[in-house]
Amino acid sequence: MSQQPDLDEGGGDDWLVSYADMMTLIACFFILMMAFANYDPAGFNKKAIELSKSFNKDKYKSSELKMKELMEEIVKHPEIVKKAKISTRDGEIVVSFSGSILFGEGEHNISPEAMSSLDVLIDIIKTKRKNYRVIIEGHSDAFEASKSAIADSAWELGAIRSAKVLSRFEYYGFETNRLAATTKGDSEPL
């Protein structure tokens, strides 16, 4: 009988040593990659913004840019510029209708002549973006309040006036949770 050579009776785990060596080398490679990596969050954010602009166009404009565009659109209309003072304050656009442009002396209803200017302003805001937060301030003075048939004080007359302007925004479809009406009464007469 011929004798067969002895075969190593190992469990076939010889590959495990090579595999462990390979995993160790891969782990070292990634540790080196992390050590040499240059993390630049500002650069990354800039690249991410540029990439989002090219894919999403106008969808992700900054709020300052949107406000600037709205301001430019408002200033283009001579009817508004002629009757109102337009400025910015703390990242907000402030449109102040001076004197008795919107309301007659002691009146609480918007004058028909001013209604068109207010409607133009509302339309501009609506076409740019309907979900802007709009805060309306009503003003008056003690003399006007004494002439009012409906209000007992300047505060009340200012509140009624701001509510009338707010109702005009509601009429044009603005969400009520995005609108606020306040009064300055006679503390800041225009």
Side-chain angles (χ1 to χ4, degrees), residues 5-168:
D6 261 350
L7 294 175
D8 188 11
E9 296 277 331
D13 292 336
D14 294 336
W15 64 272
L16 196 54
V17 173
S18 297
Y19 181 74
D21 287 343
M22 182 182 70
M23 287 293 125
T24 303
L25 290 171
I26 290 174
C28 288
F29 173 74
F30 283 110
I31 290 170
L32 284 172
M33 293 286 287
M34 294 293 287
F36 291 117
N38 181 13
Y39 293 104
D40 181 18
F44 175 78
N45 288 340
K46 186 177 178 184
K47 290 174 188 171
I49 289 169
E50 290 300 317
L51 192 61
S52 72
K53 281 181 185 176
S54 62
F55 280 109
N56 297 312
K57 299 293 180 210
D58 295 338
K59 189 176 179 183
Y60 294 105
K61 288 183 181 175
S62 70
S63 60
E64 292 106 19
L65 186 60
K66 289 176 185 174
M67 293 299 268
K68 183 180 175 189
E69 287 178 356
L70 179 60
M71 178 80 154
E72 289 170 358
E73 191 68 30
I74 291 171
V75 172
K76 284 181 188 177
H77 291 277
E79 186 175 339
I80 296 172
V81 173
K82 185 170 48 175
K83 295 181 180 177
K85 179 184 170 193
I86 304 159
S87 61
T88 56
R89 178 182 64 203
D90 299 327
E92 299 174 342
I93 296 174
V94 179
V95 180
S96 299
F97 287 93
S98 57
S100 56
I101 297 288
L102 287 180
F103 301 95
E105 193 171 284
E107 292 294 318
H108 63 277
N109 288 319
I110 301 170
S111 67
E113 304 86 39
M115 187 72 78
S116 65
S117 299
L118 182 61
D119 288 348
V120 167
L121 177 65
I122 292 171
D123 191 47
I124 292 168
I125 296 169
K126 184 179 178 181
T127 55
K128 281 294 178 186
R129 196 161 157 216
K130 228 167 131 177
N131 62 351
Y132 279 120
R133 179 144 173 80
V134 179
I135 301 170
I136 301 150
E137 292 180 354
H139 297 262
S140 180
D141 62 31
F143 180 71
E144 277 191 299
S146 66
K147 289 189 167 199
S148 175
I150 194 168
D152 294 330
S153 70
W155 287 95
E156 211 174 315
L157 183 58
I160 294 168
R161 287 175 170 179
S162 62
K164 291 287 186 175
V165 174
L166 184 138
S167 67
R168 200 71 187 155

